[in-house]
Amino acid sequence: NFDAALKDNQAALTAGKIAPDIALYNFGYLSAHPSNPKKDYSKAIQCFQSLITEHPRSSLVEPAKTWIQVLELQQKIADERRKLADEKRALEREREMLAQERQKLNYVREKSHQLDLEIEKRRRQTLSK
């Protein structure tokens, strides 16, 4: 239960049972955890950045920097996926429009062919009279 863990972490910080750098790290970790249904990478990055700036001598600075890099990369990948999905939808719409246009052109071609046959038929009838 991530919500309960976040509340417990806040309570421990308020009660002075854990150091602020550990609390920030825990907030970041819990906010970014892949199993957390309410994960918030931006919030996690903010927690890790706060840890780095407010507690530069903490032993958790290097892991926090690593988390920031991973989460920023994850956000970049997610943005690229969204962009690609948008492009895919646009291409699918365009493909559908082109398919409809092709159907219309095939219909016109078929009608033109029928008209050519009718003209040829009448020409032959005219020539045979």
Side-chain angles (χ1 to χ4, degrees):
N1 185 344
F2 291 94
D3 289 335
L6 286 167
K7 288 178 186 175
D8 290 346
N9 190 62
Q10 182 62 47
L13 176 63
T14 304
K17 294 180 181 178
I18 60 172
D21 61 329
I22 295 172
L24 281 169
Y25 185 85
N26 290 344
F27 283 132
Y29 176 80
L30 293 169
S31 296
H33 196 283
S35 298
N36 184 351
K38 297 179 183 176
K39 66 180 152 273
D40 184 344
Y41 293 153
S42 296
K43 181 178 177 182
I45 289 170
Q46 288 175 340
C47 291
F48 292 129
Q49 286 174 335
S50 294
L51 186 156
I52 292 166
T53 57
E54 295 171 17
H55 308 281
R57 291 194 171 94
S58 171
S59 63
L60 297 172
V61 166
E62 288 307 313
K65 288 178 181 179
T66 301
W67 269 105
I68 290 171
Q69 289 176 339
V70 168
L71 294 174
E72 286 176 344
L73 180 61
Q74 179 64 27
Q75 285 182 320
K76 182 180 176 185
I77 290 169
D79 290 344
E80 288 176 14
R81 277 191 186 139
R82 276 190 292 279
K83 194 185 309 182
L84 288 172
D86 291 344
E87 289 176 14
K88 180 181 176 184
R89 280 190 295 278
L91 288 171
E92 287 172 349
R93 282 191 301 270
E94 185 177 350
R95 189 180 105 238
E96 181 61 32
M97 288 172 39
L98 290 171
Q100 290 173 359
E101 186 66 26
R102 187 179 71 232
Q103 285 177 337
K104 289 177 187 176
L105 290 172
N106 284 337
Y107 176 78
V108 168
R109 183 181 52 84
E110 183 60 35
K111 286 295 181 183
S112 176
H113 180 67
Q114 289 173 2
L115 184 58
D116 287 345
L117 291 176
E118 185 63 32
I119 289 170
E120 183 62 26
K121 179 180 172 184
R122 288 185 184 179
R123 188 183 67 78
R124 286 183 185 160
Q125 286 174 352
T126 305
L127 289 176
S128 66
K129 290 184 183 178

